[in-house]
Amino acid sequence: MRYFTSVDDIGPLDVAVKEALEVKRDRFAYSHLGRNKTLMMIFFNSSLRTRLSTQKAAMNLGMNVIVLDVNNGAWKLETERGVIMDGDCPEHLLEAVPVMGCYCDIIGVRSFARFESKYDDYNEKILNQFIKYSGRPVFSMEAATGHPLQAFADLITIEEHKTKKRPKVVLTWAPHPRALPQAVPNSFAQWMNAAGYDFVITHPEGYELAPEFVGDAKVIYDQDEALRGADFVYAKNWSAFADPNYGQILSKDRAWTITSEKMALTDNAYFMHCLPVRRNMIVSDDVIESDRSLVIPEAANREISAEVVLKRLLESL
Ligand code: CP
């Protein structure tokens, strides 16, 4: 595996999950792989879980790690080619990326959707420049349209907790005060479809995700109907994808917040969220604190999904 940006890069999911559970049983079994190898983690946006879990995964594999917060201590980067650089960006991404590639063996990139151009966001303009110009294996630590390390961790978590071969998994939109990207729901949908679960997406009208991510999922606009009989409820906010409202907030309706009354409609479902989460906007205190909440096991499995991905990238060197 040379790149990891979507479910298509990881191969058969049953093999990937089996590998993840093996790594989880002995996370230092491959510590020889990363000896004298350097991971560079580039952050254009803030992070708690991705930064810590990916660094821990790299350490498990024996790697050295360099972390760069582009917005804190680095030269501000111009990303548009052809721009006369007489503004506040002293360096261009087209020089900075190959320079970063000189100092490492593998590069991880976090770069959210900017909501300035749907075309640029959905063509993964920043991530693809690292793939094109760094000369190194590159993996997404959440990009404009996807968060595959999160979705892989979510899949591992569901596989560890499911009690039936094909559980009902519901992805539900929930309200949030700020406009968030579609990356997490896109990837979650992509990975749940690939896993072959009974997968349902529910959201208010206007919040339809891109068809290539929705795939064969059932879309139900009535949240209560969607939640009935669910085994797993995955709550997440996202902004509108469809034109002309791309990146906009269309609703803050707290009737969509996941509460114990909503969870009572399910088949004693587990509650999931990628974190960070806005309590009592996305989910009520009692649901996230309940013994059916998987938010901490999901976060713990971020170390495992990152370790499998880094292991495979190291094996490709
Ligand atoms: N879930 C997730 O990616 O968390 P961070 O934004 O803290 O990395």
Side-chain angles (χ1 to χ4, degrees):
M1 190 169 78
R2 182 87 179 156
Y3 303 105
F4 178 72
T5 63
S6 90
V7 74
D8 299 329
D9 297 316
I10 199 85
L13 289 188
D14 55 341
V15 176
V17 170
K18 188 163 173 271
E19 192 174 329
L21 298 178
E22 281 170 12
V23 163
K24 192 167 181 173
R25 273 191 292 276
D26 182 2
R27 54 196 81 193
F28 302 106
Y30 298 95
S31 58
H32 57 283
L33 277 181
R35 190 166 172 272
N36 294 336
K37 298 284 187 273
T38 299
L39 168 65
M40 186 173 290
M41 299 163 63
I42 313 290
F43 287 90
F44 288 83
N45 306 98
S46 303
S47 167
L48 187 150
R49 277 143 294 274
T50 304
R51 172 189 290 251
L52 298 179
S53 63
T54 309
Q55 186 160 354
K56 177 65 166 63
M59 289 159 62
N60 294 347
L61 291 164
M63 300 186 81
N64 302 308
V65 182
I66 300 171
V67 181
L68 178 67
D69 288 303
V70 169
N71 299 319
N72 185 13
W75 300 115
K76 193 168 182 193
L77 294 177
E78 175 58 59
T79 58
E80 294 294 321
R81 190 168 176 280
V83 164
I84 297 169
M85 289 175 58
D86 60 354
D88 60 351
C89 293
E91 178 147 29
H92 203 290
L93 199 68
L94 289 172
E95 284 79 54
V97 168
V99 166
M100 292 174 195
C102 294
Y103 307 140
C104 65
D105 300 281
I106 294 173
I107 299 183
V109 182
R110 165 160 286 203
S111 175
F112 290 167
R114 295 178 168 189
F115 296 141
E116 290 165 4
S117 157
K118 183 175 177 177
Y119 179 85
D120 285 350
D121 288 345
Y122 271 74
N123 283 286
E124 290 291 4
K125 187 174 174 185
I126 302 296
L127 181 65
N128 281 331
Q129 293 199 60
F130 278 88
I131 289 172
K132 194 167 175 185
Y133 298 116
S134 72
R136 300 294 177 206
V138 171
F139 66 100
S140 165
M141 298 195 300
E142 185 171 352
T145 65
H147 195 355
L149 283 176
Q150 180 67 50
F152 187 13
D154 295 332
L155 174 70
I156 296 165
T157 310
I158 291 172
E159 285 294 306
E160 288 178 318
H161 289 85
K162 73 179 189 182
T163 55
K164 54 184 85 155
K165 189 171 164 46
R166 193 167 174 266
K168 178 175 177 180
V169 179
V170 179
L171 167 63
T172 178
W173 179 93
H176 193 278
R178 297 210 180 139
L180 297 185
Q182 298 98 31
V184 168
N186 282 347
S187 281
F188 188 73
Q190 196 178 44
W191 287 65
M192 294 302 103
N193 281 320
Y197 297 148
D198 177 8
F199 181 51
V200 175
I201 304 174
T202 183
H203 53 73
E205 292 203 27
Y207 278 101
E208 291 77 11
L209 294 167
E212 65 266 32
F213 293 104
V214 174
D216 294 330
K218 286 193 277 294
V219 177
I220 299 175
Y221 292 101
D222 181 330
Q223 189 191 43
D224 288 0
E225 184 190 335
L227 291 173
R228 275 192 197 99
D231 298 299
F232 295 88
V233 174
Y234 196 99
K236 187 70 184 81
N237 174 269
W238 62 88
S239 59
F241 166 75
D243 293 325
N245 298 318
Y246 177 67
Q248 291 181 19
I249 296 173
L250 306 180
S251 169
K252 294 183 185 175
D253 184 358
R254 286 183 54 214
W256 283 76
T257 300
I258 295 297
T259 60
S260 52
E261 291 74 26
K262 295 281 184 182
M263 293 300 283
L265 297 168
T266 71
D267 189 8
N268 195 26
Y270 286 106
F271 173 80
M272 301 181 74
H273 189 280
C274 61
L275 304 181
V277 70
R278 300 259 184 167
R279 282 176 175 231
N280 303 307
M281 287 293 293
I282 301 282
V283 59
S284 63
D285 289 322
D286 54 346
V287 171
I288 197 169
E289 291 169 5
S290 78
D291 61 4
R292 304 301 281 178
S293 172
L294 293 179
V295 297
I296 305 305
E298 286 175 84
N301 278 333
R302 289 293 306 277
E303 177 186 344
I304 307 305
S305 63
E307 187 165 343
V308 172
V309 167
L310 285 172
K311 172 178 169 290
R312 291 193 180 190
L313 295 174
L314 284 167
E315 286 166 345
S316 79
L317 294 177

